[in-house]
Short mmCIF file of all heavy atoms in Angstrom, two decimals:
data_model
loop_
_atom_site.label_atom_id
_atom_site.label_comp_id
_atom_site.label_asym_id
_atom_site.label_seq_id
_atom_site.Cartn_x
_atom_site.Cartn_y
_atom_site.Cartn_z
N SER A 28 -14.65 6.25 8.76
CA SER A 28 -13.84 7.25 9.45
C SER A 28 -12.37 6.86 9.32
O SER A 28 -11.80 6.18 10.18
CB SER A 28 -14.24 7.33 10.93
OG SER A 28 -15.57 7.77 11.06
N LYS A 87 13.14 -3.01 -7.17
CA LYS A 87 13.76 -4.19 -7.72
C LYS A 87 12.75 -4.92 -8.60
O LYS A 87 11.54 -4.75 -8.43
CB LYS A 87 14.22 -5.12 -6.60
CG LYS A 87 15.17 -4.49 -5.60
CD LYS A 87 15.49 -5.45 -4.47
CE LYS A 87 16.44 -4.82 -3.45
NZ LYS A 87 16.77 -5.75 -2.35
N GLY A 102 -15.76 -6.28 10.18
CA GLY A 102 -15.49 -7.71 10.30
C GLY A 102 -14.85 -8.35 9.09
O GLY A 102 -14.62 -9.56 9.08
#
Side-chain angles (χ1 to χ4, degrees):
S28 296
K87 304 176 180 181

